[in-house]
Amino acid sequence: DAGVIQSPRHEVTEMGQEVTLRCKPISGHDYLFWYRQTMMRGLELLIYFNNNVPIDDSGMPEDRFSAKMPNASFSTLKIQPSEPRDSAVYFCASSLQGTYTGELFFGEGSRLTVL
Amino acid sequence: AQSVTQLDSHVSVSEGTPVLLRCNYSSSYSPSLFWYVQHPNKGLQLLLKYTSAATLVKGINGFEAEFKKSETSFHLTKPSAHMSDAAEYFCVVRYQTGANNLFFGTGTRLTVIP
């Protein structure tokens, strides 16, 4: 079975441009999480969805960030306009609530560089 | 306050020697505890988990961890390090109320010397 799939793996853009990161969770998983990883802050939860509904977006840095999950097999994280401080690795993870064990399955991440 | 502390940011061992990565948590609840591993340019992968069953937990690749409530610790060990163990290791604590309350440690980078 395929794991969590993220695209693009690498993105280099200029300040002010729009960035869209994509995620396909594991089929059947009902939770989807977006994390950001930086050297300074480590892993930060940005937002998570349950059954395609955003549950907690308190970790989203500011209004420039938005996330959607139009269906159970796809989610996007958008940054508009992007800034150099947004440079980080963004991870998507999914989980199956039925286990309720906290086990997350992570994608390989999208490395974003904003110049 | 609920948190998790990884005591070492970097651990270096020789191949074939034991590995010890330390983790302490603070909580007033009975937590679930996890260790995740992140290889370079990869996502995090679950190594093992403790969810109030046996206190000694065995994971993949020969790793194990022991839950010690009296010490609020969940240290990760392996009897003999392999070159492929070189990676970043994260201790993660989960509390029983909701799916978003995962607390990630700051990570320990393990270097294995040939």
Side-chain angles (χ1 to χ4, degrees):
Chain A
D1 187 18
V4 175
I5 300 172
Q6 291 187 245
S7 64
R9 291 294 313 279
H10 301 274
E11 174 93 7
V12 179
T13 190
E14 292 187 348
M15 182 173 63
Q17 296 298 305
E18 177 179 296
V19 174
T20 299
L21 308 178
R22 298 172 178 81
C23 175
K24 177 179 169 56
I26 292 173
S27 177
H29 282 190
D30 54 354
Y31 276 78
L32 184 140
F33 303 79
W34 281 101
Y35 284 88
R36 178 171 68 176
Q37 185 179 40
T38 61
M39 290 292 292
M40 292 295 295
R41 294 175 175 268
L43 270 161
E44 303 174 276
L45 177 64
L46 300 177
I47 185 171
Y48 78 95
F49 296 82
N50 177 215
N51 291 323
N52 315 336
V53 176
I55 302 300
D56 184 354
D57 65 355
S58 60
M60 296 285 261
E62 48 199 271
D63 292 345
R64 298 184 297 107
F65 285 69
S66 63
K68 295 181 179 179
M69 191 165 186
N71 57 63
S73 59
F74 184 66
S75 177
T76 60
L77 178 67
K78 185 175 293 187
I79 308 172
Q80 167 63 19
S82 58
E83 296 182 3
R85 60 189 167 133
D86 302 330
S87 297
V89 181
Y90 291 82
F91 287 101
C92 175
S94 69
S95 73
L96 183 60
Q97 172 68 359
T99 64
Y100 210 69
T101 61
E103 179 173 1
L104 303 184
F105 294 82
F106 284 80
E108 295 194 334
S110 294
R111 182 176 296 276
L112 172 65
T113 302
V114 183
L115 303 174
Chain B
Q2 299 168 340
S3 67
V4 56
T5 302
Q6 291 185 244
L7 298 159
D8 306 297
S9 60
H10 189 198
V11 170
S12 184
V13 301
S14 296
E15 189 176 17
T17 64
V19 176
L20 170 64
L21 305 182
R22 298 182 292 169
C23 173
N24 286 92
Y25 68 95
S26 63
S27 170
S28 59
Y29 302 100
S30 296
S32 295
L33 294 152
F34 310 82
W35 277 97
Y36 279 81
V37 60
Q38 184 181 27
H39 290 278
N41 300 313
K42 297 292 185 182
L44 281 73
Q45 178 188 14
L46 182 68
L47 263 183
L48 51 79
K49 60 186 177 185
Y50 165 78
T51 55
S52 75
T55 56
L56 182 62
V57 181
K58 294 187 184 298
I60 61 173
N61 300 332
F63 284 94
E64 61 182 39
E66 185 172 7
F67 173 69
K68 292 187 176 180
K69 187 174 182 179
S70 60
E71 299 177 9
T72 60
S73 69
F74 191 57
H75 300 335
L76 181 70
T77 60
K78 183 173 180 177
S80 176
H82 191 274
M83 293 300 294
S84 61
D85 295 328
E88 187 96 14
Y89 292 80
F90 293 89
C91 183
V92 184
V93 182
R94 180 204 173 128
Y95 303 98
Q96 299 303 321
T97 54
N100 66 327
N101 49 3
L102 285 178
F103 291 83
F104 283 80
T106 51
T108 298
R109 180 165 299 278
L110 176 65
T111 298
V112 181
I113 302 167

